[in-house]
Amino acid sequence: MIFTHKSNELQQSLDQESLLHRMTKQIRRSLNLQEILTTTVSEVRLFLGADRVKVYRFDIDGSGEVIAESIYKESLPSLLGLRFPVHDIPEAAREMFLLAGQRSIVDVVNEKIGLSPLQSKETSKRLQTNIYYRQVDPCHIQYLKAMGVQSSLVVPILHCDLQEESAKPQLWGLLVSHHSQPRKILKRELKVLQQVVDQVAIAIAQSNLLTEAHAKQEREATINRITTLLHKLPTIQLQGALEEVIAAFNGVGGRLYIGESRELYTWGDQPTLPYELDNSIIEQHPMWQNWMAEFQQGNIWATADLYKEPRLRILALAFRSTQIRGLMVIPLHYREKFIGVLSIFRSEFETEILWAGRCEQNRRQLLPQLSFEVWREQKKGQAPRWEPEDVLLAQALYDHFSMAIQQQQMYKQVQALNTNLELRVQEQTAELEKSLLLTKLLKQVTEQIRRTLELQTTLQTIVREVRPLLNSDRVLIFQLKNKSVIVEEISGNWQSVLGVNAPPECFPDEYTRLYCQGRVRAINNVSTASLSDCHREFLQSLQVQANLIVPINMGIELWGLLIAHECNAPRNWQDAEIDLLQQLGDQAAIAIQQAQLYEQTSDAEIEARNQAAQLEHTLHELQETQTRLIHTEKMSGLGQLVAGIAHEINNPVNFIYGNLCHASDYTEQLLEILRLYQLNYPHPHSEIQAAIEAIDFDFLVEDLPKIMTSMQLGTERIRSIVLSLRNFSRLDEAENKRVDLHEGINNTLLILQHRLKGNAEFPRIEVIKDYGNIPRVECYAGQMNQVFMNIFSNAIDALVTGNGDKRDKGEKKNNPYSMPTIHISTNVSADNSHLLIRISDNGPGMTEEVKKRIFDPFYTTKPVGKGTGLGLAISYQIIVEKHGGIMECISEPGKGTEFWIEIPIKPPAKIASKR
């Protein structure tokens, strides 16, 4: 391959010994890696006579950045500080750089690439520095042309951790030489560059060691400052130590929460739980506490973006109002016991990356990059990364904080013990006195409980006497048979739990077995006790914060539980209180057993009385049933009688009605013949003339057609009455079918027409019909007519009685407001499902006591022999039971009476099934 060269004078001025000497001297003189790299690219460019030499460093994500550069008189544009995508250097090339230490030389003009491996792939032995040439990918050629490069040399920079003997080398970066003209790379130049790169690798290792040493020194200094604050007894500076920790981690805020005392120390930006998450402190939220319970001793948890953590999905709402994104959590333990948690917050930040040109990711490797102009990429809300050094510092602080908090708690406990020693003696003395008092009170309560043998009174006495003894907010008795609270005694405005049933899934059969064996359970704090979630939620729903439970056993059978509730705050139940309640439970068992024996004796006596009363009631029902059967039979016989009479009358009436028209025609014809005789024989015989005068022939001729017309009207009236009687009896319509109820109402009024007419003693009753447009209704027509007959008959009786009372009081007959009236209205309900019938009168009305009993069988306000008291009772049964409807009465004294009937247009299935 042929390349153009710089002047021989420049090449001869730079030899390899001079270059290596200067590089070694620079590395020893300065420990600053950036200075070393800057000197390296400058010296290498002078050595090669290249237009540009740069150091390209790989990032964790595989992309790279130019961190050092030397350019000859701006012959090529600067790439310093620019980032290149990961796809610019193929994965295969990076693997060869790392595994074989491969160096590449690109001849852009001849489109060839020279590869110089250091080791053989077959034997893994080191080879002489040879260069092997082959064709290069056209995309690579166009890529270099776009950068203005005609000759390129790339030497990999490998880095190995000197602190680990078995550490494998890593591809740290590349030393790259670019020339705008063709140039040939000599073997000796490659050898010198490899030696320079080796020196750079040493400088990188030394720089990393120096950085780690500085970080370790700073970490130890931070730990010393924090340790000094944590171990200043008796005033441990937890707040100051927290601020030092936050500053050491470059945080924007942090928290220290102590579990036993629930103390919270904060500094900087803080999360705030939303109102709907109940707790005001995030460390007291159940989700946070469950999370802390999962941590093993010494575990450190850190995330760069808390919004991506599934376990923080709900708690992350507390951080929405802040810029916090990075979170480190250090759970604190002492001898495997959780004592608190230290949290460090880091804020999100914005980044700006300078890319060497902009290229679509989906077009990478398909087309070469044509432009390397600077493209600024800005990213907001970036998550800060936690480095391994941060985790090491957190692990070091873990022990100091745990020990300091434990020492502080122990110091407070010792102080409390010393301070309260005298108080404890006084308390024990008071407890002894209280125990003596409780013994006396127990005797009094036992006597009070046994004063009564009535079970409910006994149970109420137990809870009433026990509650003040324990000074609790609520005492109750839970009966196992009913699975509910049967008696209670409450002090204060706490909610009643009387009749509350315990969820069966919260109280398995195992609980019953334990209580039956005499188990006593004292729960000092419902929220922290080892209860199932269901049990805890049930107690909290009853406002219970502490409770004490003793069984009430009847021999080997568990009868129930005697329970004391503390609703205001948690309570530490004392042994004396537990013993007292247990003794009261035993006394309660004896009292309940005695009360049950007494109750059984009383129940036997009551049962005997009830049986006698039941027999009497049965006899009364039989009498009522017999009377109803008689009434029904009477109504049935009346219907058959009416139907028979109507049938017998119908035949001769139809005969008369059918022949009246012929008789009328014959009479007209005879009169016409007589008229013709009078015209043709105007002077009749004297005997005929005498007969005409005797019978008043002119009047007869005039009156005879009127008589025929009156007879025809009468027969039509008789036929109408017979038809009404047949329709009213409805013997041919006993089944449930669709009928026109207006017809049934009209037929019933027609039958009662004789009672509606007035006489000398009573004016006529006016009937006002306000009929709506109603459909045919599916019902028992005969029974509905029976209802109408009963209501109209009662209305007429009420109006007749009321008119007699008015006449006795001297009211005027011509008073329009005193005219007896029956008003009938029909319409359909708003949803078209029911028919509404209202029948009212302006009679005297009835009192509230009478109105309540009008539907009772055998109840009547009529004189003896005037009524049976079954009409309205049967009507109510027909409307409600037979038709699934509603029948109500609205009445007040002096304001008349109204019956409201509502039946479904189409009866429900259960009514229809009675057909």
Side-chain angles (χ1 to χ4, degrees):
M1 181 182 292
I2 301 174
F3 297 84
T4 60
H5 298 273
K6 292 286 183 178
S7 63
N8 294 330
E9 294 80 4
L10 182 59
Q11 291 185 7
Q12 293 173 358
S13 65
L14 298 174
D15 57 12
Q16 61 182 24
E17 296 296 335
S18 177
L19 175 62
L20 292 175
H21 177 72
R22 290 194 300 271
M23 289 298 302
T24 304
K25 184 178 179 181
Q26 178 64 26
I27 291 173
R28 293 178 177 177
R29 184 178 59 187
S30 174
L31 293 177
N32 186 289
L33 182 60
Q34 187 61 40
E35 292 181 5
I36 295 173
L37 295 178
T38 302
T39 302
T40 299
V41 295
S42 177
E43 293 292 342
V44 170
R45 187 188 64 78
L46 292 176
F47 173 73
L48 295 177
D51 291 329
R52 175 170 57 207
V53 174
K54 64 180 182 180
V55 174
Y56 181 92
R57 182 182 62 191
F58 289 103
D59 286 337
I60 296 177
D61 60 359
S63 63
E65 180 183 3
V66 177
I67 62 172
E69 181 186 56
S70 177
I71 302 175
Y72 177 71
K73 295 184 178 180
E74 299 183 356
S75 55
L76 290 176
S78 175
L79 301 177
L80 185 62
L82 298 186
R83 183 76 59 89
F84 290 81
V86 62
H87 301 290
D88 276 15
I89 301 178
E91 182 67 25
R94 281 182 287 181
E95 290 181 357
M96 292 305 296
F97 284 143
L98 176 61
L99 299 178
Q102 181 174 276
R103 299 160 294 188
S104 63
I105 306 166
V106 181
D107 183 354
V108 177
V109 175
N110 296 311
E111 299 185 355
K112 291 185 178 181
I113 183 170
L115 304 176
S116 176
L118 296 179
Q119 291 180 342
S120 171
K121 295 183 179 179
E122 292 79 10
T123 63
S124 299
K125 294 181 178 180
R126 189 174 184 85
L127 301 177
Q128 296 295 327
T129 309
N130 296 323
I131 302 174
Y132 301 95
Y133 289 96
R134 63 172 175 78
Q135 290 297 120
V136 70
D137 188 348
C139 181
H140 193 177
I141 296 298
Q142 294 185 31
Y143 185 88
L144 292 174
K145 285 182 178 181
M147 297 180 70
V149 176
Q150 293 295 318
S151 174
S152 171
L153 169 62
V154 179
V155 180
I157 303 173
L158 304 182
H159 167 63
C160 187
D161 192 349
L162 299 179
Q163 293 182 338
E164 296 185 14
E165 295 181 359
S166 60
K168 295 181 180 181
Q170 297 178 354
L171 183 61
W172 184 88
L174 302 173
L175 178 64
V176 183
S177 172
H178 287 163
H179 201 59
S180 60
Q181 300 296 326
R183 186 186 187 284
K184 183 177 181 179
I185 302 299
L186 302 178
K187 295 180 181 179
R188 67 179 183 83
E189 292 175 334
L190 278 179
K191 182 178 180 180
V192 172
L193 289 182
Q194 185 61 52
Q195 292 174 341
V196 171
V197 167
D198 292 341
Q199 293 297 321
V200 171
I202 295 173
I204 293 172
Q206 291 178 347
S207 177
N208 288 343
L209 289 175
L210 179 63
T211 302
E212 291 177 1
H214 286 167
K216 183 177 181 181
Q217 182 180 5
E218 180 63 26
R219 185 166 61 248
E220 291 177 352
T222 300
I223 293 173
N224 290 335
R225 291 195 303 271
I226 294 173
T227 303
T228 302
L229 294 172
L230 290 177
H231 295 285
K232 281 187 176 181
L233 289 176
T235 57
I236 298 176
Q237 302 296 319
L238 290 177
Q239 181 65 36
L242 174 63
E243 295 177 9
E244 284 286 347
V245 170
I246 296 172
F249 283 102
N250 295 321
V252 296
R255 301 160 68 90
L256 174 61
Y257 176 76
I258 301 175
E260 183 175 345
S261 61
R262 296 193 174 188
E263 295 178 76
L264 178 65
Y265 299 89
T266 63
W267 187 84
D269 295 344
Q270 297 297 318
T272 303
L273 280 173
Y275 174 76
E276 60 270 15
L277 292 184
D278 299 331
N279 301 80
S280 59
I281 299 179
I282 192 171
E283 288 82 1
Q284 294 177 359
H285 194 277
M287 183 170 293
W288 180 280
Q289 293 180 351
N290 293 336
W291 183 32
M292 291 297 102
E294 298 176 3
F295 281 94
Q296 298 296 327
Q297 187 172 0
N299 285 0
I300 307 297
W301 185 88
T303 179
D305 192 346
L306 60 90
Y307 298 107
K308 294 182 179 180
E309 293 297 326
R311 68 176 70 247
L312 297 177
R313 185 179 67 257
I314 295 178
L315 296 179
L317 297 175
F319 295 87
R320 288 294 185 188
S321 60
T322 70
Q323 297 295 317
I324 299 172
R325 186 171 291 268
L327 172 63
M328 175 180 283
V329 178
I330 309 174
L332 305 176
H333 297 81
Y334 184 79
R335 293 183 179 177
E336 299 183 358
K337 176 186 176 182
F338 176 78
I339 60 174
V341 60
L342 176 63
S343 306
I344 310 298
F345 309 138
R346 280 184 176 175
S347 177
E348 62 185 17
F349 59 90
E350 298 181 5
T351 60
E352 181 180 80
I353 302 176
L354 302 179
W355 291 96
R358 182 172 184 177
C359 182
E360 298 293 338
Q361 293 293 333
N362 57 355
R363 300 186 62 191
R364 178 70 58 184
Q365 300 298 334
L366 298 180
L367 293 174
Q369 189 164 333
L370 302 179
S371 174
F372 292 89
E373 293 184 4
V374 177
W375 175 56
R376 297 178 182 271
E377 179 185 18
Q378 292 184 340
K379 294 184 178 180
K380 296 183 178 181
Q382 294 298 295
R385 188 170 58 191
W386 298 94
E387 301 296 341
E389 294 79 8
D390 297 326
V391 177
L392 290 175
L393 177 59
Q395 290 175 342
L397 295 175
Y398 165 81
D399 293 328
H400 293 287
F401 269 91
S402 299
M403 188 177 297
I405 292 173
Q406 181 64 23
Q407 288 177 351
Q408 183 191 39
Q409 291 177 349
M410 292 179 63
Y411 179 76
K412 289 182 177 179
Q413 290 174 1
V414 171
Q415 275 191 325
L417 288 174
N418 293 333
T419 304
N420 298 328
L421 183 59
E422 183 179 353
L423 180 61
R424 290 293 301 275
V425 173
Q426 294 176 355
E427 288 178 353
Q428 290 180 357
T429 304
E431 287 178 0
L432 291 174
E433 294 176 353
K434 181 179 180 181
S435 177
L436 179 60
L437 177 62
L438 290 178
T439 302
K440 295 180 179 178
L441 292 176
L442 176 62
K443 181 180 179 182
Q444 296 176 4
V445 172
T446 302
E447 293 175 354
Q448 181 68 24
I449 291 174
R450 296 186 178 182
R451 286 178 183 175
T452 178
L453 291 177
E454 201 275 325
L455 180 60
Q456 188 64 27
T457 304
T458 300
L459 298 177
Q460 194 63 53
T461 303
I462 292 172
V463 295
R464 186 180 64 249
E465 297 295 332
V466 169
R467 194 209 60 74
L469 282 182
L470 295 178
N471 192 25
S472 58
D473 296 324
R474 184 194 295 126
V475 172
L476 56 92
I477 292 179
F478 176 86
Q479 189 176 13
L480 193 65
K481 179 181 178 181
N482 298 332
K483 299 291 185 182
S484 64
V485 177
I486 55 175
V487 291
E488 67 175 354
E489 180 71 17
I490 302 175
S491 173
N493 296 324
W494 307 108
Q495 69 182 47
S496 173
V497 298
L498 198 63
V500 171
N501 296 323
E505 64 273 10
C506 298
F507 301 93
D509 295 338
E510 178 67 16
Y511 283 19
T512 303
R513 185 181 65 81
L514 293 174
Y515 284 126
C516 190
Q517 295 175 356
R519 174 198 192 188
V520 176
R521 188 168 192 182
I523 300 176
N524 297 330
N525 192 336
V526 169
S527 61
T528 59
S530 58
L531 303 172
S532 65
D533 294 340
C534 177
H535 192 177
R536 180 178 288 103
E537 291 175 2
F538 174 68
L539 292 178
Q540 290 176 346
S541 67
L542 303 182
Q543 301 176 312
V544 178
Q545 297 199 43
N547 70 338
L548 179 59
I549 307 172
V550 299
I552 302 176
N553 289 317
M554 299 291 190
I556 61 173
E557 180 183 357
L558 179 64
W559 184 90
L561 301 173
L562 178 59
I563 306 173
H565 284 167
E566 194 69 24
C567 303
N568 188 41
R571 174 174 176 174
N572 292 324
W573 299 102
Q574 304 300 318
D575 292 340
E577 296 171 336
I578 297 174
D579 292 340
L580 172 64
L581 192 62
Q582 193 169 12
Q583 294 180 46
L584 290 172
D586 296 338
Q587 295 298 325
I590 298 173
I592 292 171
Q593 192 171 16
Q594 292 176 348
Q596 285 182 338
L597 292 173
Y598 175 75
E599 188 176 22
Q600 290 174 2
T601 304
S602 301
D603 290 344
E605 180 182 358
I606 294 173
E607 181 66 22
R609 294 178 181 177
N610 289 339
Q611 289 180 357
Q614 183 67 28
L615 290 175
E616 183 180 357
H617 178 70
T618 303
L619 178 61
H620 182 67
E621 285 185 345
L622 288 175
Q623 292 175 347
E624 290 183 356
T625 303
Q626 182 181 15
T627 305
R628 288 188 181 184
L629 289 174
I630 293 172
H631 182 79
T632 303
E633 186 63 27
K634 285 182 179 180
M635 292 302 296
S636 176
L638 176 61
Q640 292 177 356
L641 176 63
V642 170
I645 293 173
H647 179 73
E648 294 299 327
I649 296 175
N650 191 49
N651 289 333
V653 169
N654 284 339
F655 175 78
I656 296 172
Y657 181 78
N659 288 291
L660 274 177
C661 60
H662 301 296
S664 179
D665 293 340
Y666 297 159
T667 303
E668 290 292 335
Q669 293 173 2
L670 290 176
L671 291 177
E672 180 63 21
I673 292 173
L674 289 175
R675 188 179 62 80
L676 292 176
Y677 270 104
Q678 287 178 342
L679 290 176
N680 294 313
Y681 301 99
H683 302 288
H685 190 270
S686 58
E687 185 178 353
I688 295 174
Q689 185 66 34
I692 290 173
E693 293 176 356
I695 64 174
D696 195 357
F697 180 74
D698 292 336
F699 175 77
L700 186 148
V701 169
E702 179 182 357
D703 192 49
L704 184 59
K706 295 180 180 180
I707 292 174
M708 297 301 295
T709 300
S710 299
M711 292 173 63
Q712 188 171 5
L713 292 174
T715 54
E716 288 179 352
R717 177 63 176 167
I718 294 172
R719 291 184 73 226
S720 176
I721 293 173
V722 170
L723 180 61
S724 298
L725 291 174
R726 292 183 62 189
N727 290 337
F728 175 79
S729 64
R730 292 286 185 177
L731 291 179
D732 56 341
E733 298 181 7
E735 296 297 327
N736 193 1
K737 60 188 296 184
R738 291 190 175 275
V739 297
D740 183 2
L741 288 183
H742 287 166
E743 182 181 345
I745 295 173
N746 293 335
N747 291 334
T748 305
L749 291 174
L750 184 60
I751 294 173
L752 296 173
Q753 187 65 36
H754 68 286
R755 298 196 63 192
L756 297 174
K757 294 180 180 180
N759 52 44
E761 298 296 328
F762 178 73
R764 69 178 182 86
I765 298 175
E766 183 178 2
V767 178
I768 301 175
K769 301 177 181 179
D770 183 13
Y771 289 169
N773 185 15
I774 64 173
R776 298 174 74 85
V777 179
E778 188 173 345
C779 64
Y780 295 92
Q783 295 182 4
M784 289 301 298
N785 288 342
Q786 184 179 351
V787 172
F788 298 145
M789 174 65 76
N790 290 331
I791 295 176
F792 289 146
S793 297
N794 284 344
I796 293 172
D797 291 341
L799 291 172
V800 171
T801 303
N803 186 75
D805 294 341
K806 292 178 182 179
R807 186 175 63 253
D808 294 341
K809 294 178 182 180
E811 295 184 10
K812 295 181 180 180
K813 293 184 179 181
N814 296 329
N815 186 354
Y817 297 100
S818 63
M819 178 178 292
T821 304
I822 296 177
H823 187 277
I824 307 169
S825 69
T826 61
N827 53 26
V828 180
S829 63
D831 58 358
N832 296 322
S833 62
H834 287 73
L835 175 64
L836 309 178
I837 304 173
R838 299 170 61 186
I839 302 175
S840 60
D841 63 65
N842 60 349
M846 61 184 77
T847 63
E848 186 67 24
E849 291 75 13
V850 173
K851 187 176 69 172
K852 289 180 179 179
R853 300 187 60 190
I854 59 171
F855 294 124
D856 294 343
F858 306 105
Y859 177 76
T860 179
T861 58
K862 298 177 182 178
V864 177
K866 295 294 184 178
T868 63
L870 289 174
L872 290 179
I874 294 175
S875 299
Y876 185 85
Q877 182 183 18
I878 291 172
I879 296 299
V880 177
E881 298 181 9
K882 295 287 287 184
H883 292 83
I886 298 172
M887 184 173 181
E888 295 181 356
C889 177
I890 303 171
S891 180
E892 292 183 22
K895 294 185 179 182
T897 302
E898 178 180 353
F899 284 92
W900 176 287
I901 299 174
E902 179 179 336
I903 61 173
I905 295 176
K906 184 176 181 181
K910 65 179 182 178
I911 301 301
S913 63
K914 295 180 181 180
R915 298 178 183 178

